[in-house]
Every structure is written in C-alpha cells, then in structure tokens.
Amino acid sequence: MTLSPFMMSGKKDSRDGEASVLTKTRTKTQRPPMYKVLLLNDDYTPMEFVVHVLERFFGMNHAQAFEIMLTVHKKGLAVVGVFSFEVAETKVAQVMDFARRHQHPLQCTMEKE
C-alpha cells in the first residue's frame, strides 16, 4: 500500500484528489497616449537657430536637425518627436522659452498622435 502525500502529513484532502488552480486576475495597463511635438515655420527665425533648437532640445545630430529644419521651411511644419504628454509639454515650453529669450517668434506646439 502506498501513502499519498496527504496521508503522510496527516491531512485529508476534501476534494477527493482533484487539483485546484488558483487564478489571479491582472489588470491590463494601457500605454499612455502619445503626443507629437511640431515646429512651425515663420519668416523671421533664422534657419541656424532652428537647427540649434533641434540639436539642443531633441538630441538630433547636425544632419538630422538640418533635414527637419528644411522640412519646416518647405512644408510649413514638421514633427520633431513623439513623447508622453508630460515630456511633450516640457519640450514645447523649453523651445518656446528659449526662442523668446533669443527674441525669435519660433512656434512649437503639440497634438495627440
């Protein structure tokens, strides 16, 4: 005669040997909505300043910044990055503040992706 682990420990299994599975419900977390940061063209902000802004606040190298600046110049606007709401809001504020301090009318906005 073999003893089951329940009998060896002195405990009886009230489920007649059936295994039970405990399930744990997990709440599925959603990714936060993302926001596009856009630079808008104007007739007064120097192209070099726009390149500098892209390098400084968006971490672009000179070639990338130059390409985006040309897109802004030719098409009127360009997406310069996609971020969470807080990061996008901060980037817009930094660019706008930097442009004002340097007396340029450069406009930077954000919109939901």
Side-chain angles (χ1 to χ4, degrees), residues 28-42:
K28 188 169 182 174
T29 55
Q30 285 186 329
R31 290 187 163 268
M34 300 300 278
Y35 291 80
K36 298 185 282 189
V37 175
L38 304 134
L39 274 186
L40 308 176
N41 188 41
D42 64 73

Side-chain angles (χ1 to χ4, degrees), residues 40-103:
L40 308 176
N41 188 41
D42 64 73
D43 294 332
Y44 304 100
T45 305
M47 292 179 176
E48 297 81 22
F49 183 79
V50 175
V51 170
H52 179 69
V53 163
L54 293 168
E55 292 171 342
R56 178 173 179 161
F57 297 106
F58 298 95
M60 296 181 188
N61 64 38
H62 189 75
Q64 291 169 321
F66 193 81
E67 271 306 305
I68 296 291
M69 177 275 299
L70 285 178
T71 301
V72 171
H73 181 69
K74 291 176 183 174
K75 295 190 176 184
L77 70 118
V79 175
V80 295
V82 179
F83 308 96
S84 67
F85 178 81
E86 292 80 10
V87 173
E89 188 177 49
T90 301
K91 298 249 184 221
V92 168
Q94 288 173 329
V95 170
M96 295 295 288
D97 181 56
F98 189 70
R100 296 301 159 265
R101 284 189 284 128
H102 288 86
Q103 300 177 346

Side-chain angles (χ1 to χ4, degrees), residues 3 7-8 16 18 20 23 26-28 38 52 54 58 62 65-66 70 73 104 113:
L3 297 174
M7 294 177 134
M8 291 174 63
D16 296 328
E18 290 182 24
S20 69
T23 57
R26 290 189 183 196
T27 56
K28 188 169 182 174
L38 304 134
H52 179 69
L54 293 168
F58 298 95
H62 189 75
F66 193 81
L70 285 178
H73 181 69
H104 294 299
E113 187 176 41

Side-chain angles (χ1 to χ4, degrees), residues 6 13-21:
F6 295 107
D13 187 3
S14 63
R15 293 166 295 183
D16 296 328
E18 290 182 24
S20 69
V21 177

